[in-house]
Amino acid sequence: MSQHKPEQLAGLARLREDFDQSFAQAPERTRHAIKGFLAIRVGADPYALPLDEISGLSADRHIVPLPTPVTALRGLAGFRGQIVPVYDLGCLLGHAPAAHLRWLVLINKEQPVALAFATFEAYLRVDQHMMVDPGETAPETAEHHPQTIGAVRGDGLRPILHIPALIETIRRLSQRITPPPATPQLRSVKP
């Protein structure tokens, strides 16, 4: 039998520990940041909504129309005891107003707003390597839009909607809405 020196035994113990640790760690591909998105369509165009910037998703809510010169403002809807304005997401992105908007997504926790769109396709869990930075999107594969920030790879490139840019667009539109002038109250005069 051969005798092992103490430094050899320590080296073997280290190798055994490293080997055991390799099974305790997650595989490299699952250690990347995973982000959730809603895959939606506005008209024929695919988009991704970041799940961490959404506080609710609902289908077939009643929208009370409002008389307004702002085409994108579809009306008001109730969400969890709050009345929120509903904007046509397609109009905010430069599309014509949609005839039917089935889905509403609630954004902007400080001053809630609902974005309305017609088609919800799927929930996406996307690994970081499947995301494309805004500077990397080639003009022939994905058009850069001021309300998008990067894209998600999958069934083609799906631009990621930039919620803060959409909120800014809504803020600018709401400045165009002016309340009607107040009508003077007539008081009855007693003789």
Side-chain angles (χ1 to χ4, degrees):
M1 288 205 129
S2 68
Q3 289 283 342
H4 293 289
K5 295 180 183 177
E7 57 270 359
Q8 289 176 322
L9 290 174
L12 287 173
R14 238 180 290 113
L15 283 173
R16 183 179 312 131
E17 187 177 324
D18 289 347
F19 177 78
D20 290 344
Q21 278 295 346
S22 70
F23 288 100
Q25 295 174 352
E28 184 64 31
R29 68 180 180 82
T30 59
R31 280 191 268 168
H32 292 289
I34 294 184
K35 196 162 170 141
F37 292 93
L38 295 182
I40 67 168
R41 278 199 187 270
V42 176
D45 299 332
Y47 290 98
L49 278 165
L51 203 57
D52 57 355
E53 297 184 40
I54 295 169
S55 54
L57 174 70
S58 183
D60 301 323
R61 287 230 184 225
H62 179 70
I63 300 171
V64 177
L66 291 175
T68 176
V70 178
T71 309
L73 180 57
R74 297 301 287 260
L76 300 172
F79 276 92
R80 299 182 199 125
Q82 290 183 308
I83 303 295
V84 298
V86 177
Y87 286 86
D88 182 332
L89 180 56
C91 287
L92 296 175
L93 296 171
H95 298 270
H100 177 70
L101 299 169
R102 178 168 189 220
W103 295 92
L104 299 179
V105 65
L106 197 60
I107 61 168
N108 196 17
K109 293 175 185 165
E110 294 81 36
Q111 293 181 334
V113 174
L115 301 176
F117 54 94
T119 309
F120 167 61
E121 294 182 320
Y123 165 70
L124 304 174
R125 285 181 46 93
V126 178
D127 198 328
Q128 185 135 10
H129 76 278
M130 297 296 288
M131 295 171 61
V132 179
D133 289 331
E136 295 178 34
T137 54
E140 64 274 2
T141 57
E143 181 182 330
H144 178 70
H145 195 284
Q147 277 105 353
T148 62
I149 182 164
V152 172
R153 287 187 184 103
D155 55 348
L157 281 181
R158 189 177 285 273
I160 300 169
L161 291 170
H162 189 134
I163 301 298
L166 290 167
I167 292 170
E168 179 59 25
T169 300
I170 290 168
R171 188 190 65 72
R172 282 194 318 271
L173 287 172
S174 66
Q175 289 175 343
R176 292 182 23 204
I177 302 170
T178 56
T183 55
Q185 296 289 329
L186 298 177
R187 295 183 187 176
S188 61
V189 178
K190 292 184 181 180

